[in-house]
Amino acid sequence: MEKILHRVYFENYRPFKDPFLHYLETWYRELPQYQVMRWGKDNVDVTINDWMKRSAEANDPVFLSEFVRWTALKEYGGAYLDSDCEVLNGKVFDQLVDELMASDEYDAFVGVEDFENGYPTAQTVAAKKGAEIVDFMYDMYQNRLSSGLWHWRAERLLIGPQLMSLYFRDKGYQTDKGFFPKLKKPVIVGRVKIYPQEYFSPKFTTTGKKLNITENTCIYHLFANLNVKEVDPEAEKHRREPMLFSDYCKYLEDLASRRATSTPETVGYRRSNGGFDYGKIINHGLKDPTGMMKKIWDYAKSK
């Protein structure tokens, strides 16, 4: 297995200009001993199968990359990272790769996106050439999904994490439908080592407020989800102007500080005409009744 980092970005599709180049800079800085192979419009054949043809015709570069990553890993081995991934600690990541290269027990590694859902990370994958999970995923896109199933790619979640769970189930791991919720220690299933969330996904979702950081954290994934056309304004801002992880941590600190000193009037419970948005208050109250009662009590005391 060579020390390669694969990156996929198609600048001929929306949003066109690559907004994650400052993340790429961290790849070179933190992992200078790795060859970075960049895949996109100049070196990828989008007519190779029906999945690629349909994704190209639909102007859907995220789903083009779904196939390209497994093709690159199949041909070259190495590690794949999504373009919206920042390398936080190259020493930790490189040690994991060295352990993979030396291991007779497993041929690939992934993490999980979130502690609660346990979805495998299609955004961070490392594999030796010939790894079974790579062959499995390549075959899914090359043969099984290159058909009318393409239409289900988003609405039936025919995407990386869900399809990877099928591999683990096919290897006899029927627990939690092939996912790894509440994973606290690395496990090996089907010759794949699965690491807990803290390693490659310290935040879940584009605007995740809960951070899971330890000395093992080496990759930060933004979760830009560029295949989702309409997102809330805050998420769209983070996609247009993606912060480095250190800046995002500062952003959360500032957000928490502002919320700590806010009253219900200043955290979005009033309409533009000055009246209360009671639907929003009720909705938040149902989700967090204790927290809502505290806000109401604090607001009443302030008057």
Side-chain angles (χ1 to χ4, degrees), residues 257-267 298:
S257 178
R258 290 198 302 271
R259 285 181 172 175
T261 59
S262 296
T263 67
E265 286 185 286
T266 60
V267 293
D298 291 343

Side-chain angles (χ1 to χ4, degrees), residues 126-254:
K128 303 172 186 175
K129 284 190 66 173
E132 288 185 68
I133 189 171
V134 173
D135 289 343
F136 178 93
M137 294 297 290
Y138 177 88
D139 180 66
M140 291 292 287
Y141 291 101
Q142 176 69 17
N143 299 310
R144 303 175 194 277
L145 299 177
S146 290
S147 66
L149 290 175
W150 178 87
H151 298 286
W152 280 357
R153 68 198 186 285
E155 60 191 71
R156 299 295 178 90
L157 294 178
L158 300 181
I159 55 179
Q162 282 69 24
L163 294 174
M164 291 163 74
S165 74
L166 296 179
Y167 170 80
F168 295 119
R169 296 181 76 174
D170 214 36
K171 291 298 179 182
Y173 181 77
Q174 299 299 328
T175 306
D176 296 303
K177 299 181 179 179
F179 299 124
F180 301 89
K182 296 180 171 52
L183 183 67
K184 295 182 179 179
K185 294 182 179 180
V187 296
I188 297 175
V189 177
R191 297 192 63 80
V192 178
K193 193 168 187 176
I194 303 98
Y195 288 96
Q197 178 194 356
E198 64 194 74
Y199 282 80
F200 315 130
S201 185
K203 163 178 80 68
F204 181 58
T205 74
T206 312
T207 57
K209 305 297 188 292
K210 183 179 179 181
L211 302 182
N212 189 344
I213 311 169
T214 71
E215 68 278 2
N216 297 319
T217 305
C218 53
I219 303 295
Y220 164 59
H221 183 219
L222 173 66
F223 285 96
N225 295 327
L226 295 179
N227 58 302
V228 181
K229 307 305 180 186
E230 296 183 6
V231 296
D232 64 74
E234 185 185 4
E236 182 59 33
K237 178 183 178 181
H238 285 285
R239 297 202 302 188
R240 289 197 315 269
E241 302 171 3
M243 300 180 194
L244 291 171
F245 186 60
S246 58
D247 294 327
Y248 189 77
C249 291
K250 293 176 183 176
Y251 161 80
L252 289 185
E253 289 176 5
D254 292 342

